[in-house]
Amino acid sequence: MKEEGMKRIQAWQNEMKAYQLALTTMAYDRLTVAPESGIEYYSEQAAYLSGVLYSIQTDTQIENVLHALKDEDLNAEQKRMVELHLKDFDRLKRIPKEDYVSYQKLAQISEKKWEEARAKKDYSVFEPYLLQIIETQKKFCALRDSDKAPYDLLLDDYEEGMNQEKYDAFFALIKEKLLPLIHEIAMKQDAVRTDFLQGLWDIEKQKQMMKVLQKYLNFDPSWGYMGISAHPFTSCFSHNDVRITNAYHEDLLLSSIFSLIHETGHAVYEHQIPESYEGTVLCNVSMGIHESQSRMYENNLGRRMSFWNRNYDQLAALYPEQLKDIDQKTFVRAVNSAKPSLIRTEADELTYPVHILIRYEIEKGIFDGTVDCSRLEEVWNEKMKEYLGVDVPDASKGILQDVHWSDGSFGYFPTYALGSAYAAQFIHAMQKDMDIDKALSFADMESIQKWQKERIHCYGASIPSLQIIKNATGEAFNPQYYIDYLYNKYRDLYQIK
Amino acid sequence: MKEEGMKRIQAWQNEMKAYQLALTTMAYDRLTVAPESGIEYYSEQAAYLSGVLYSIQTDTQIENVLHALKDEDLNAEQKRMVELHLKDFDRLKRIPKEDYVSYQKLAQISEKKWEEARAKKDYSVFEPYLLQIIETQKKFCALRDSDKAPYDLLLDDYEEGMNQEKYDAFFALIKEKLLPLIHEIAMKQDAVRTDFLQGLWDIEKQKQMMKVLQKYLNFDPSWGYMGISAHPFTSCFSHNDVRITNAYHEDLLLSSIFSLIHETGHAVYEHQIPESYEGTVLCNVSMGIHESQSRMYENNLGRRMSFWNRNYDQLAALYPEQLKDIDQKTFVRAVNSAKPSLIRTEADELTYPVHILIRYEIEKGIFDGTVDCSRLEEVWNEKMKEYLGVDVPDASKGILQDVHWSDGSFGYFPTYALGSAYAAQFIHAMQKDMDIDKALSFADMESIQKWQKERIHCYGASIPSLQIIKNATGEAFNPQYYIDYLYNKYRDLYQIK
């Protein structure tokens, strides 16, 4: 029974994995190189294949096999596999297929409308689609489990075990400890020089710098590839095929650099998950841990003085005029500077969680009804003013800046801040085991990646994220590491007593 | 009955079209950007999806519907659709699904082995796979129709209506009329200067030249995209999404230029087929006509003096040193020079059909048993010596130079020579309707493309290729146009009396 059941699950997984790779490839292609006017045809075919995949994913015969397997004598990995599959059934099976496929199409159109609205800086172009997306998500949540708060369901989708209560406590800490510091720093902008980051930075040279950093970070072209897209992202095709993308802006030197470092953090994670998990649900790792790895690369490693010991000279050589009088220390201080700003993806490490806090509060309000959905743009702008003291000049720099809501990814944003907090705790533990600065100074990313693999990546999704943190760091998740890290670093940098 | 039947066919086509786009996208991705080590995982998933598509393509219920529809009162397009679908059934339905899927996997491995063999310049690495491919193709032909000569079946697959008898006559003409001329020209190499084409040509500048030519040729980024791959190819995703690729070699100036022009010929064809045929079998146009459009761009237009009136100065400006003393006339004479050589894809217009003749004779011999399959490399080298007078130094420049046999595409090569012959006849007809040189001189590709659309592209596959030629040129296919064109052009260029 057990043998046979596992065999059926295996065959079913093999089926899903072909569709998943097809859809991953098509999405990557669309976001990197596909010509504009082919998108409609693409969207139809992708929706069709999503529908086929949905039918496979919600096959009730398989669900029965999974339920029967639960009572068998399984090893820990098999148990976890069955558990995760059943969670997926719970998430999907009560949504009628027609509704599911329509929603895929709606999401495609909504994303296009979002793009259009953003280009026109006009929220009203996107608003009706967003409202439809919200309505559908609420409906889906009610179908899934009418007893649970809808937003709790969504938060758990993106980070297993999380809910509003836990996030409330987490964000309360950020509000209490970091907001006052941010306001103080906003008044002390002269303490850190950033003027030299103005100007234009030749894109071909940015691309040359990417090669330097890819080599330094061990992002190996035999298993990885970097494309170009409007917004950087990582996409895992298979164990030995992990893609990242980057975006180049002539007026932003740091954007492509820190995007590359960030996405490489994601990519290394995907590549270091055991190959035996390839194509199975044990690769579907937590968003929070995923983001912890990318933000750890971007911030906790990438903005360290020692990271630039090997890299700054090469950057300075590419831009001899602009960086003529700038030494490494001045550069590193600048890449760590903090200042309230409008755009999440370009935000500094300190103000970043506040951008997430704002999104969290709005999402929460959307789903518990305390936010008026006809006033979303105003609510956004009010919160930006309240928490960060900035005025939103137009919707493209406000509510339209992120793609996430356009396809209904509510509950996703909070994992970004959570990931930063996980990262601080991981780094604290890593520091106890090895000399991080020494490794970075000697271009020895291998040692760091070995630590990540042994402590974090080796688990894949075979245990829940909070358990990974315990195993890797020896204690339960504790956001205090994050708060302390930011608090000390920024008081020091801005000489605040 | 008719209405209902057509509806079922429509739904069935919609199903196929999703899988076709998925497989097209995955193949394009693999050949352009996919990292090496992910190929195995990709191949498995692609083979799985090919299997699903095969099941859809060979659905006997649909075959019955098609047979019933044949007797209904259909319009010409519907009739043709039914006819083409039934041809596809005939091609596939007698091959067991397991054999079909195994063959897909074999073809993937064989292609990898071909690559490896080519890199090692060692035919023996590839030979066992090629022999397996040949055996399987022979077996498939016998399953399909044991009464017909297998090679006739394959020739018809790639060019409807063609067979060995017709190709024999065509190639006899080439042997009789062109071989003596080629031998004469081989002795008169001093007549055309080509020395300046030696040297190194900066690849970034080659890419800049591509932009000039793409604009000139109306290859519009809103519906087209050019990637990079080891060998240039064109891939149609949908009416508004046509991809081409190019390859850059620092030591070859003309390779990327004429590849771009060639592939654009394919791309414009795909884009100008009526949008109402999108995703249907009426887009599956003849390989011969397809190649006629690309070779017409590459040779009959791209190597004309007037083509370079607008483009040569820009090329010369990109390479001021190398082209300092070279005027447009000298350059155009050089791009038309002819000399027996080893590599088909780099061959000149005159010797090109002889490369195809050699492949045709070997393929024919493989399938009628007159060529000993254990001696293929030797046979190749003997024919190269006999027809072109060249010695093959190693297999990578001989039998391993082309990918086609590695996935069993026998019968494909002959369409390349046929396409060149069609092109000569089309150009002859076009010349009667418009002043081609004037259009090219004024960068007016639009007029040429309008002619192509109205005379050729508008049909898609709704009529057989030989009918398209009749409609477009007012007479049946006549290879004499091709022979005369080459004969006159090259006697003139090399001053042969």
Side-chain angles (χ1 to χ4, degrees), chain A residues 220-362:
Chain A
D220 186 333
S222 80
W223 59 262
Y225 176 80
M226 182 170 76
I228 295 180
S229 64
H231 305 280
F233 66 91
T234 300
S235 181
C236 183
F237 285 48
S238 62
H239 182 79
N240 285 313
D241 184 355
V242 186
R243 314 288 179 89
I244 67 174
T245 68
N246 209 337
Y248 298 95
H249 308 282
E250 210 184 356
D251 57 338
L252 298 173
L253 169 66
L254 301 183
S255 176
S256 65
I257 288 177
F258 286 97
S259 291
L260 168 73
I261 303 173
H262 179 99
E263 301 306 333
T264 302
H266 284 305
V268 168
Y269 190 5
E270 290 289 352
H271 181 60
Q272 294 205 131
I273 292 171
E275 193 164 1
S276 60
Y277 292 176
E278 186 179 57
T280 74
V281 73
L282 296 183
C283 277
N284 300 350
V285 296
S286 128
M287 304 302 289
I289 305 274
H290 230 310
E291 197 67 13
S292 80
Q293 301 304 283
S294 57
R295 293 192 69 78
M296 183 168 102
Y297 270 51
E298 177 190 347
N299 296 322
N300 309 73
L301 301 176
R303 296 185 201 273
R304 247 177 147 93
M305 188 68 181
S306 53
F307 183 97
W308 291 96
N309 285 348
R310 280 288 176 108
N311 294 311
Y312 185 67
D313 284 354
Q314 305 197 57
L315 181 66
L318 283 169
Y319 298 104
E321 257 182 58
Q322 292 107 307
L323 298 176
K324 190 171 49 183
D325 300 321
I326 307 301
D327 62 11
Q328 185 185 333
K329 196 179 160 198
T330 309
F331 174 76
V332 174
R333 284 175 61 86
V335 306
N336 282 289
S337 65
K339 186 185 178 181
S341 65
L342 289 161
I343 306 294
R344 175 185 64 84
T345 54
E346 305 294 341
D348 58 81
E349 201 181 347
L350 179 64
T351 59
Y352 187 87
V354 182
H355 288 267
I356 302 301
L357 160 67
I358 290 168
R359 286 155 179 78
Y360 172 71
E361 289 188 351
I362 297 174

Side-chain angles (χ1 to χ4, degrees), chain A residues 14-15 17-19 21-22 25-26 28-29 33-38 41-42 44-45 48-49 52 221-225 237-238 240-241 243 278-279, chain B residues 14-15 17-19 21-22 25-26 28-29 33-38 41-42 44-45 48-49 52 221-225 237-238 240-241 243 278-279:
Chain A
N14 283 344
E15 215 179 335
K17 128 185 146 168
Y19 288 91
L21 184 67
T25 310
M26 288 164 79
Y28 183 85
D29 177 90
V33 300
E36 189 62 27
S37 36
Y41 186 86
Y42 153 83
E44 253 175 65
Q45 315 318 321
Y48 180 86
L49 295 172
V52 179
S222 80
W223 59 262
Y225 176 80
F237 285 48
S238 62
N240 285 313
D241 184 355
R243 314 288 179 89
E278 186 179 57
Chain B
N14 283 344
E15 214 178 335
K17 170 170 119 161
Y19 289 91
L21 184 66
T25 310
M26 287 165 79
Y28 183 85
D29 177 90
V33 299
E36 189 62 30
S37 36
Y41 185 87
Y42 154 83
E44 255 176 64
Q45 315 318 319
Y48 180 86
L49 294 173
V52 178
S222 81
W223 59 262
Y225 177 80
F237 284 49
S238 63
N240 285 313
D241 183 356
R243 314 287 179 92
E278 186 179 58

Side-chain angles (χ1 to χ4, degrees), chain A residues 70-110:
Chain A
K70 260 203 325 195
D71 305 325
E72 297 282 334
D73 178 35
L74 304 177
N75 66 32
E77 273 180 13
Q78 292 171 326
K79 244 195 190 90
R80 176 68 172 163
M81 243 188 210
V82 169
E83 179 193 346
L84 288 174
H85 281 313
L86 284 171
K87 264 194 105 161
D88 284 340
F89 270 95
D90 270 344
R91 194 164 51 81
L92 287 175
K93 69 179 182 188
R94 291 182 194 87
I95 301 167
K97 183 174 172 184
E98 311 81 68
D99 291 359
Y100 180 83
V101 174
S102 309
Y103 183 70
Q104 302 301 316
K105 282 187 200 157
L106 170 64
Q108 304 264 12
I109 298 165
S110 162

